Amino acid sequence: YQYQPDSDRWNQWKLLDLFPTPYNYISIYDMKTTNGQLWISSELKNAEGKYLNGLINYNGSFVTYMETEVPGLTGLDTTPLIPGSAGAEGDGDTAYFACELGFIAYNAGTWQHRVLEIDSHKLPAAIYCMVKDKNGSLWAGTEYGLSRYDAGSKQWTNYCSTPGNELVLDVLQVDTDGQNSVYGYSPYLFYSLGGIGGIMKVDINNGNIETIAFPSKNFQHTPFDDNRMAVDTLGRPWFGY
């Protein structure tokens, strides 16, 4: 359904009718927007009873993509749809989607699947969230800290420990101040203080890491998906739950 405030009415589409191959069942996993476009991740069942993953894009008209044509979509079945930030103005028709291992880059109708591997300075970790910094590098919050992907060298740089040599686990939210820093939230930072949670701040120019601890006595936060973090242009993290 789509609501149009100017006419105070709802438009309706039957998603099964959007796919060229006949399917007899569809379930929506998640819906997000990026660059003003709507993306829907879904699961479909064909006549043989096989379940397949698909993406639906709406930008004035509908376009569908199936895992049979974009193999990386098979990883969307257990991962929320997280379109990565497009970053600088002028990126155009570009989006990034997290999957079970790595991410999928979409640009003007083409797809590339980037997998996180053990070799080449990569980590075998699931991606929870993504953002793009002012230099065009992608930052991913993963099971094992923050990872920066340089599109030019196609290399990952991992930030998986604090200055105090504590392992960083489950960076669930990531954002940038639009200047020189990227921030990642983990509920498991500061094990030495009882695991009160906090924010990991990385300088995008030199890789220096700072940590921001939550107050241990009067600050409440719930684990995983209930938390949201945003960072303004003055470098002030905002946190809600």
Side-chain angles (χ1 to χ4, degrees):
Y1 292 89
Q2 176 200 63
Y3 177 69
Q4 292 188 328
D6 54 344
S7 58
D8 190 28
R9 67 185 180 93
W10 289 86
N11 296 323
Q12 180 183 1
W13 293 271
K14 189 176 181 181
L15 296 183
L16 282 174
D17 295 339
L18 303 177
F19 290 87
T21 303
Y23 295 93
N24 53 29
Y25 170 83
I26 184 170
S27 175
I28 293 178
Y29 282 132
D30 203 359
M31 300 172 64
K32 292 288 188 300
T33 58
T34 187
N35 300 339
Q37 302 182 32
L38 173 68
W39 290 89
I40 302 171
S41 61
S42 60
E43 178 187 60
L44 300 98
K45 184 172 74 172
N46 62 19
E48 289 75 36
K50 183 179 180 180
Y51 288 91
L52 299 168
N53 293 317
L55 270 178
I56 303 169
N57 172 247
Y58 180 78
N59 187 26
S61 60
F62 288 99
V63 180
T64 60
Y65 305 93
M66 293 298 299
E67 66 175 63
T68 51
E69 57 182 310
V70 185
L73 294 185
T74 56
L76 289 175
D77 57 352
T78 58
T79 307
L81 179 59
I82 312 173
S85 169
E89 191 174 326
D91 276 355
D93 189 16
T94 303
Y96 304 91
F97 303 93
C99 53
E100 285 183 353
L101 289 177
F103 69 90
I104 305 170
Y106 170 83
N107 186 7
T110 63
W111 299 85
Q112 289 183 315
H113 186 201
R114 303 293 188 191
V115 179
L116 280 74
E117 303 167 346
I118 289 179
D119 62 342
S120 301
H121 307 288
K122 303 173 187 176
L123 285 175
I127 290 178
Y128 297 123
C129 49
M130 297 176 70
V131 74
K132 197 172 187 180
D133 67 26
K134 69 173 187 178
N135 296 331
S137 294
L138 287 173
W139 291 77
T142 78
E143 288 180 282
Y144 303 112
L146 278 171
S147 291
R148 179 177 63 85
Y149 180 77
D150 184 279
S153 64
K154 295 181 172 57
Q155 292 290 315
W156 291 90
T157 302
N158 302 305
Y159 303 89
C160 51
S161 63
T162 69
N165 293 320
E166 288 187 299
L167 183 66
V168 178
L169 298 174
D170 291 330
V171 174
L172 305 180
Q173 297 282 318
V174 63
D175 199 10
T176 173
D177 56 15
Q179 305 299 320
N180 297 308
S181 298
V182 168
Y183 302 72
Y185 155 70
S186 168
Y188 304 116
L189 276 178
F190 300 102
Y191 276 87
S192 61
L193 299 179
I196 60 175
I199 295 171
M200 180 181 184
K201 176 183 175 182
V202 182
D203 188 305
I204 66 174
N205 298 310
N206 56 32
N208 287 343
I209 298 173
E210 300 177 32
T211 52
I212 306 169
F214 292 146
S216 57
K217 294 183 179 180
N218 59 356
F219 189 90
Q220 299 293 322
H221 64 103
T222 56
F224 300 106
D225 293 337
D226 291 336
N227 301 303
R228 294 294 181 266
M229 182 191 71
V231 182
D232 62 28
T233 56
L234 297 179
R236 300 177 299 192
W238 295 72
F239 194 84
Y241 59 91

